[in-house]
Amino acid sequence: MYSTAKCSHPGCQIHVSEPFSTCYHHASEEVRHDMLTLFSQKLEQNLVRDVSMVGCDFEGLDMSYGLIRDSMFTFSTFRHCDFTASRIHTSCFDMCIFIECRFDRLRSTNSIYAGSLMKSCSFTSSTMLSCNFMGLESLDNDFTGSDLYFSNFSMGRIVNTLFEDCDLKRVNFTASAIKDTSFRWSNPEDAFFSPGEVHW
Amino acid sequence: MRVRCHFCPSGQVNSYIVCDKGKALIIDPAELDIEVIRTLEDLQCEPAALLLTHSHVQHRAGIGKYLKVWDLPVYAWSADVPPYKAITLTEGQHEIAGMSIDVIHVPGHSEDSICFHIEGALFTGDSLASGRIGACAGMHQRARLAMGIARKLLILDEGTIVFPGHGCPTSIRIEKTFNHELLERQVKLSEDFFQDSADATRHGGAEA
């Protein structure tokens, strides 16, 4: 489970994972290297579990076919990362930035992506059950063919995004600003929108 | 500590299995099915207690099955959980199955609604969910619930993960930022505050 220990740097509220006492941001170069080495070891095993990498920058990370469970990546940035066919369960990616990442055939349950910025990411044929995308800033993303049952996209800004051929049963889009977004071949009548909004 | 969510389709309720050192707390035992058994085996733990966030029937429909298989104590705010008798909890710290649990009473959705704060996880039942607060029987109860959430839950560490009785998990930081029902209430409180301040200034000015 997520560590509840805080960074030892005065005033820093970021959670740290054992055996480290500071967050990535406040760690020395040597400790940062150790953190990344430990993380890459977990990546090689395709099993990332109980990891707290808050506020980190990842570029070209390959997590395809891997399992991420009980981990925390809040305030992190992911550029050109590959999560194809991975499984993400009970993990936190809130307040993150995702740019040109691939999440095709992802299976994610009970995970948090709220408050994130997603640009040009692909989530095709994914299953994302009970995931939290509240306050999402979505630009040019593709959720085609995904099952989004019970997920929450409320209070977000969704622009030029494809929700085609998706299962939108009980998906919450209330209070979201939705523009140039397609719900073709999906079931938006089973989703929740703000009163007066019709998106199909 | 590990947390696993079990979704019960009838009633669309989340049950939670909180496991630490081989013992598991079952929060809101909505159903006991093969998925729960598999999760317990996967975590290599045995149920040690059943905890209820409130006594609404869909959140406790599985108690009977659990008690047929294991001899477990049931903990709740109120002792009356027909047809069972629960051990009553009071607000504050409790030690159950070796886990330190902070019980927080947040009435509004129901009189017996409580939240369980265990390490960095908060189990809110129907009091607080992702982007909304619990349904209440009237404006007075709703105001009471919103006040309880603001005073008792939103003061917790922003990184606390919230596991609600329905819907997806969230965190205190996200609810503070995006929960429009709480934001609307904050705006209302601010408006009232500024109105009161303006009235006080006007009256003060008139008296002067």
Side-chain angles (χ1 to χ4, degrees):
Chain A
M1 190 53 190
Y2 329 98
S3 161
T4 49
K6 297 277 176 65
C7 173
S8 59
H9 186 84
C12 182
Q13 293 290 308
I14 289 175
H15 293 251
V16 295
S17 55
E18 289 181 355
F20 306 106
S21 62
T22 56
C23 65
Y24 183 81
H25 215 68
H26 292 117
S28 62
E29 276 302 316
E30 198 178 330
V31 175
R32 277 187 186 189
H33 180 260
D34 290 349
M35 282 179 176
L36 291 174
T37 307
L38 189 66
F39 184 64
S40 54
Q41 280 172 0
K42 293 192 175 194
L43 276 184
E44 278 168 22
Q45 295 163 1
N46 269 352
L47 175 62
V48 175
R49 194 171 197 162
D50 304 323
V51 165
S52 182
M53 296 289 279
V54 174
C56 297
D57 289 343
F58 299 99
E59 176 120 31
L61 181 79
D62 183 9
M63 197 52 220
S64 55
Y65 298 92
L67 170 64
I68 300 175
R69 195 183 262 285
D70 302 339
S71 294
M72 192 175 265
F73 295 90
T74 307
F75 295 118
S76 292
T77 301
F78 298 86
R79 285 188 188 84
H80 311 289
C81 295
D82 188 2
F83 294 87
T84 303
S86 61
R87 290 159 291 153
I88 300 176
H89 303 296
T90 338
S91 293
C92 298
F93 291 84
D94 48 322
M95 309 290 178
C96 286
I97 297 173
F98 297 93
I99 295 174
E100 293 180 20
C101 294
R102 290 178 64 87
F103 292 89
D104 305 309
R105 288 178 285 131
L106 168 76
R107 183 168 171 82
S108 182
T109 57
N110 296 296
S111 292
I112 305 174
Y113 304 86
S116 291
L117 166 71
M118 291 180 175
K119 189 176 183 320
S120 306
C121 295
S122 167
F123 290 85
T124 57
S125 306
S126 295
T127 305
M128 306 177 86
L129 308 180
S130 211
C131 288
N132 190 346
F133 293 90
M134 204 162 50
L136 179 73
E137 189 90 3
S138 169
L139 305 168
D140 311 327
N141 296 310
D142 187 359
F143 287 87
T144 299
S146 293
D147 182 356
L148 302 169
Y149 181 69
F150 234 126
S151 289
N152 186 354
F153 286 82
S154 65
M155 293 289 280
R157 195 169 76 95
I158 299 168
V159 179
N160 200 20
T161 298
L162 298 178
F163 287 99
E164 296 186 344
D165 201 17
C166 288
D167 184 358
L168 301 178
K169 212 182 280 177
R170 298 193 71 88
V171 177
N172 186 357
F173 288 98
T174 51
S176 274
I178 302 172
K179 198 179 166 193
D180 300 330
T181 291
S182 171
F183 292 93
R184 205 162 42 151
W185 303 310
S186 296
N187 52 338
E189 65 276 15
D190 293 329
F192 302 102
F193 290 90
S194 293
E197 284 187 44
V198 178
H199 290 280
W200 60 93
Chain B
M1 185 182 90
R2 299 205 174 275
V3 178
R4 291 285 178 274
C5 176
H6 174 254
F7 177 71
C8 176
S10 63
Q12 291 161 337
V13 176
N14 294 330
S15 292
Y16 293 99
I17 299 163
V18 184
C19 172
D20 195 26
K21 294 170 191 151
K23 289 183 177 174
L25 302 175
I26 313 294
I27 297 177
D28 286 346
E31 179 63 291
L32 174 60
D33 58 19
I34 191 68
E35 285 299 317
V36 175
I37 304 290
R38 280 190 188 133
T39 306
L40 290 168
E41 283 179 352
D42 178 40
L43 294 169
Q44 297 180 325
C45 61
E46 279 273 309
L50 305 178
L51 274 66
L52 306 184
T53 57
H54 62 299
S55 58
H56 285 171
V57 69
Q58 72 266 37
H59 292 264
R60 59 178 175 87
I63 291 181
K65 279 190 192 172
Y66 275 95
L67 296 186
K68 273 183 188 168
V69 182
W70 294 282
D71 183 20
L72 301 171
V74 181
Y75 292 89
W77 182 259
S78 159
D80 197 23
V81 188
Y84 313 100
K85 282 285 170 205
I87 300 166
T88 55
L89 292 167
T90 52
E91 206 160 27
Q93 288 287 339
H94 295 265
E95 186 87 9
I96 301 173
M99 283 181 247
S100 180
I101 300 169
D102 189 15
V103 175
I104 305 168
H105 185 217
V106 192
H109 173 71
S110 65
E111 202 51 47
D112 63 347
S113 287
I114 49 176
C115 300
F116 301 109
H117 187 207
I118 310 172
E119 290 186 24
L122 180 70
F123 301 89
T124 55
D126 282 356
S127 295
L128 175 66
S130 166
R132 61 182 179 83
I133 65 172
C136 298
M139 291 303 288
H140 174 70
Q141 294 300 329
R142 193 169 175 76
R144 206 171 159 214
L145 175 60
M147 191 119 37
I149 290 169
R151 288 184 179 167
K152 295 180 178 176
L153 304 186
L154 298 187
I155 57 162
L156 297 174
D157 182 89
E158 288 201 337
T160 304
I161 309 296
V162 175
F163 293 99
H166 300 275
C168 51
T170 180
S171 74
I172 294 294
R173 181 185 296 113
I174 294 164
E175 294 310 304
K176 274 185 178 176
T177 315
F178 299 115
N179 188 321
H180 62 272
E181 293 188 352
L182 293 174
L183 292 175
E184 278 169 12
R185 179 168 168 75
Q186 279 172 5
V187 169
K188 180 81 179 70
L189 285 173
S190 308
E191 282 172 358
D192 290 351
F193 173 76
F194 285 118
Q195 188 62 45
D196 290 348
S197 306
D199 289 347
T201 312
R202 206 175 306 128
H203 290 307
E207 281 165 18

